[in-house]
Amino acid sequence: MGSYVVKRLLLSVPILFIISFLTFLLINLSPMDPAEVVLRAQEVPEITEELLAQTREELGMNQPFLKQYADWMLASLRLDFGESYVTGQSVWSLISPAFVNTFKLTMVSSVIIIFMSILLGVACALNEGKILDKSVRGVSFILTSMPSYWLASILIWYLSVRLDLLPTSGMDSYQSYILPVTVISVSYVGIYFRNVRSSMLTQLDEGYVVYGRACGLSERKITQHILRNSLQVAVSIFCMAIPIILGSTVVIENVFAWPGLGRLSVKSILSRDFPVIQAYVLILAVTFVLFNTLSDVINAALNPRLRKEL
């Protein structure tokens, strides 16, 4: 198992380098001159070619492209993403607290999503075609069809404005988590519980289920075996759910004024704060690769045959 983990981590290294290169390349292909962005942020009254040349030299933009990339990559490994063009602050000092806030929201939502998906998926699979199965699937179809910003607005209007039960923005207490977590959970439970249900139904048709019943095993024991085998398929889905949620909180964070990565990224894009945008894209990409690697490792631990395929 140890050798499998090492091999899987080594395979992730070239992927991370490719992602970092593409991130640096895409930002540098922007038609907006970063030197001009810096000068406008500093409210320089008159931008001249001399000032632009001087700023480019200070930012190291007069260096060859590959040298700029190498310097940026080496600095990024030390979590030094440079300074914000707009505020002049360290990018890491802006990104790190925002990442922590988004990660908290993501983990709370992920726990609820995974728990509810497994619960509903198992219940619907064991009651296939019955009222419970049809009702849950019908309600989930309606809820997942609702745009997240619309659902968030409805919940804010009713629970916060009309009933004055929950805060509308910020993250001052545990109550601040209720509305954004609810909106995120509603959006994803309806998707992921179907995967669990489908996996359970596939396992119900396997030969070991028929054999177990013929041998007189209790339905509880058989259900435990079905659930364990079904979750092996669902592991990859749930592992990748975390980075997907992490990267898709932009709308929710802006609706609820959550001080996270999504809100920071929107501000950075609107102000063309390239160092912050680069750091944001790179962190999300690294998170996706790491959780993908984690899902492979967990699956290999559950199924030893997968270790021989690498």
Side-chain angles (χ1 to χ4, degrees), residues 235-252:
V235 162
S236 300
I237 298 170
F238 288 137
C239 280
M240 293 310 296
I242 296 175
I244 289 172
I245 296 169
L246 186 72
S248 62
T249 58
V250 176
V251 174
I252 302 302

Side-chain angles (χ1 to χ4, degrees), residues 36-80:
E36 185 178 347
V37 173
V38 173
L39 293 174
R40 290 187 183 279
Q42 295 173 353
E43 298 182 351
V44 176
E46 184 179 356
I47 300 175
T48 63
E49 285 299 325
E50 291 77 11
L51 274 175
L52 288 172
Q54 181 182 349
T55 306
R56 290 191 193 101
E57 186 175 355
E58 291 173 356
L59 296 175
M61 294 177 185
N62 54 350
Q63 301 291 332
F65 174 78
L66 290 179
K67 187 178 187 309
Q68 291 184 52
Y69 166 70
D71 292 342
W72 175 77
M73 188 61 207
L74 291 174
S76 297
L77 293 174
R78 302 191 302 270
L79 300 180
D80 177 12

Side-chain angles (χ1 to χ4, degrees), residues 77-112:
L77 293 174
R78 302 191 302 270
L79 300 180
D80 177 12
F81 300 103
E83 296 180 351
S84 167
Y85 288 168
V86 177
T87 65
Q89 294 176 266
S90 165
V91 172
W92 180 245
S93 68
L94 298 172
I95 285 281
S96 55
F99 179 81
V100 170
N101 294 338
T102 298
F103 193 73
K104 288 178 182 178
L105 181 62
T106 299
M107 292 310 298
V108 174
S109 302
S110 298
V111 169
I112 294 175

Side-chain angles (χ1 to χ4, degrees), residues 9-283:
L9 289 173
L10 290 176
L11 283 175
S12 301
V13 174
I15 297 174
L16 291 174
F17 271 109
I18 293 172
I19 290 172
S20 66
F21 180 79
L22 291 176
T23 301
F24 189 80
L25 177 64
L26 289 174
I27 296 298
N28 280 270
L29 289 177
S30 171
M32 192 72 175
D33 188 346
E36 185 178 347
V37 173
V38 173
L39 293 174
R40 290 187 183 279
Q42 295 173 353
E43 298 182 351
V44 176
E46 184 179 356
I47 300 175
T48 63
E49 285 299 325
E50 291 77 11
L51 274 175
L52 288 172
Q54 181 182 349
T55 306
R56 290 191 193 101
E57 186 175 355
E58 291 173 356
L59 296 175
M61 294 177 185
N62 54 350
Q63 301 291 332
F65 174 78
L66 290 179
K67 187 178 187 309
Q68 291 184 52
Y69 166 70
D71 292 342
W72 175 77
M73 188 61 207
L74 291 174
S76 297
L77 293 174
R78 302 191 302 270
L79 300 180
D80 177 12
F81 300 103
E83 296 180 351
S84 167
Y85 288 168
V86 177
T87 65
Q89 294 176 266
S90 165
V91 172
W92 180 245
S93 68
L94 298 172
I95 285 281
S96 55
F99 179 81
V100 170
N101 294 338
T102 298
F103 193 73
K104 288 178 182 178
L105 181 62
T106 299
M107 292 310 298
V108 174
S109 302
S110 298
V111 169
I112 294 175
I113 289 168
I114 292 172
F115 174 76
M116 292 301 297
S117 296
I118 294 174
L119 180 65
L120 293 176
V122 172
C124 289
L126 296 178
N127 295 275
E128 183 189 7
K130 297 180 180 178
I131 295 177
L132 176 64
D133 181 32
K134 293 179 179 178
S135 300
V136 171
R137 285 192 292 157
V139 172
S140 70
F141 177 79
I142 295 172
L143 292 177
T144 52
S145 300
M146 296 179 182
S148 56
Y149 63 86
W150 183 82
L151 179 60
S153 302
I154 293 296
L155 291 177
I156 289 173
W157 169 77
Y158 187 73
L159 296 176
S160 299
V161 178
R162 188 171 180 181
L163 300 181
D164 195 24
L165 294 176
L166 298 170
T168 60
S169 61
M171 51 176 298
D172 301 324
S173 66
Y174 74 92
Q175 291 184 328
S176 302
Y177 284 82
I178 296 176
L179 288 181
V181 167
T182 299
V183 176
I184 294 172
S185 299
V186 165
S187 301
Y188 286 96
V189 168
I191 298 172
Y192 290 124
F193 100 89
R194 287 189 178 89
N195 293 300
V196 177
R197 177 183 178 276
S198 176
S199 182
M200 284 281 293
L201 290 176
T202 301
Q203 291 296 321
L204 283 170
D205 294 331
E206 293 292 329
Y208 73 87
V209 176
V210 179
Y211 180 76
R213 285 173 177 158
C215 292
L217 285 178
S218 65
E219 285 298 319
R220 182 179 178 182
K221 277 283 186 183
I222 293 173
T223 302
Q224 288 177 352
H225 285 289
I226 293 172
L227 181 59
R228 184 180 63 185
N229 293 332
S230 300
L231 290 183
Q232 289 183 17
V233 179
V235 162
S236 300
I237 298 170
F238 288 137
C239 280
M240 293 310 296
I242 296 175
I244 289 172
I245 296 169
L246 186 72
S248 62
T249 58
V250 176
V251 174
I252 302 302
E253 288 186 1
N254 280 277
V255 170
F256 291 102
W258 191 270
L261 276 179
R263 200 168 178 218
L264 177 64
S265 67
V266 171
K267 289 181 179 178
S268 301
I269 291 170
L270 293 176
S271 60
R272 293 181 173 83
D273 199 348
F274 296 139
V276 178
I277 299 171
Q278 283 179 320
Y280 171 73
V281 173
L282 183 62
I283 288 174

